[in-house]
Amino acid sequence: MLDNKREKKYTSRHRILLLSILCLFGFCLLAQRPVKKGATKAPKSKVFLLHSDIIKKDPYSAEPDAQILVGNVAFKHDSLYMYCDSALFFQKNNSFKAFNKVKMKQGDTLALYGDYLYYDGNTQIAQVRYNVKLENRKTTLLTDSLNYDRIYELGYFFDGGTLMDEQNVLTSEWGEYSPKTKMSVFNFDVKLVNPKFTLTSDTLKYNTATKVANIVGPSNIISDKNHIYSESGFYNTAKGQAQLLNRSVITNEGKSLTGDSLYYDRNKGFGEAFNNVLMKDTINKNLLKGDYCYYNEKTKYAMATKRAVAVDYSQGDSLFVHADTLKLFTYNIDTDSLFRQARAYHKVRMFRSDVQGVCDSLTFSSKDSCLTMYGEPILWNGNRQLLGEQIMAYFNDSTIDWVHIHNQALSIEKLDSVNYNQVSGKDMKAYFKDGDMKMVDVIGSVHSIYYPTEKDSSLIGMNVSETSLLKIYLENRKLKKMTMSPKSTGTLYPMLMLPKDKMRLDAFAWFDYIRPIDKNDIFQWKAKAEGQGLKKNTRGDVPLPNRNLFKKKK
């Protein structure tokens, strides 16, 4: 029989009022279990006493209707066998109370142990208390208070429990487990411990057969390097694969991946995000956006497509780059020579307050901080436009340092709606300071049209000249002086006598109509007007990036 100390222990463990209310509510539901539509009510079967060393009755006891059973007590109810050291048997009510070394056995797959059992043969509900252990093949449930419903084949605990299988250990304050379906539901302070990670939640569903955890509330999955936050989804704890919904977040060493839906493979180390995707690197201060993103945490490779945009916010002013596809490669991982290369293609448009650009494709390498633009690239800085066959822009701490334009180089500075300073040559190098162009070197077949000014900035005239080497000095974004080698006298036309056929170089083209005006405008591709653009280069395509590498193999 139960002594007073154990009764007090049992009462004290029900310390949470909410759990007690839920327990009472559960009893009420069980007392009114619905019968499935079309199903017939099963006839009540009797609980049979199979054995007891001693059988007696005590009319003066607190329960005079009970048979007192002592020693090797055994009961049978249908296919269920129950054993204990002693019991009170209420034959009229078809129930009994069992004490010490309680064991319930059904078939060869289900066993239930405890120190105390109340079993009702009419409702087929077993209430097991103290040192409770439920065993179902390779699954074990430990608790101090368990109710087991034989009709629904469902056990539920309400004062803390632990469920264990071959891979995981789950604990919670409240839970239920079905040996038939292998499904379990956990509530309040849920914790799933796996050798590779720990999952915490307030609500979790788990299948001991498939090892799949169904996330139905705010949950965190933490391992050595990763942190996953999700409020809805599925996590296969055996395969390390997750399908997550509702703006879930995967974080890895300062990088986070967020999307309307995510797929993550822990063993292979990659994640995919779909719709409204944000991949953020808080260490290098950049991010990728798009409707699809992929990231491999082992190779540090990332890709974004479908309205993809890369943002660098390492300096006060952010650089926004859009293309059909954005990719990030990492080389020499785990060495002192680590560097990254970003690639964008095609229909590239970029915007920052001090510089804007368009091209077909580009690459940026952290090794030399060089951004290379391909496919009739154009750069704008203030009222100045630079273009050529290829543009290489070098940065220092994310601030533009100097620019090298290869072949068919053209620099245009807009003075007003009619007049433009213009310089063309084979190659051009422009040097910047604090974001402003300070000096330009033009090399080979130099042609120039520029307007010298008075001190009050009024135009003196238009100078047209040709040379082999030209140096241009600027101050406050305006032409300060020019030097030519060899010297060229050129021709100076007064402002009132400007010949219209001399006011534009042959290669002149002002592309203000395709210039990005803000960070949102980069998503609108704007083609050049027909007939405008560089002359066709017959020497072949640029070596990087090779467009054939970007085409999908059939």
Side-chain angles (χ1 to χ4, degrees), residues 398-433:
S398 297
T399 301
I400 190 167
D401 191 20
W402 66 285
V403 173
H404 187 183
I405 306 174
H406 294 276
N407 299 316
Q408 301 191 61
L410 175 64
S411 171
I412 302 175
E413 179 189 11
K414 184 177 181 179
L415 303 175
D416 52 43
S417 60
V418 177
N419 301 303
Y420 298 82
N421 285 332
Q422 307 157 56
V423 179
S424 67
K426 183 179 180 181
D427 274 17
M428 187 180 298
K429 297 180 180 180
Y431 301 90
F432 294 76
K433 184 177 181 181

Side-chain angles (χ1 to χ4, degrees), residues 54 60 76 84 121 144 154 160 181 190 199 201 207 376 378 418 426 448 476 486-487 503 518 552:
I54 300 174
Y60 301 103
K76 179 180 183 297
C84 62
D144 260 5
L154 180 68
T181 65
V190 183
L199 186 157
S201 179
N207 189 298
E376 298 195 6
I378 307 173
V418 177
K426 183 179 180 181
S448 67
N476 298 323
K487 291 183 179 181
M503 294 177 65
D518 57 39
K552 292 183 178 180

Side-chain angles (χ1 to χ4, degrees), residues 74 112 459:
L112 184 57
L459 302 181

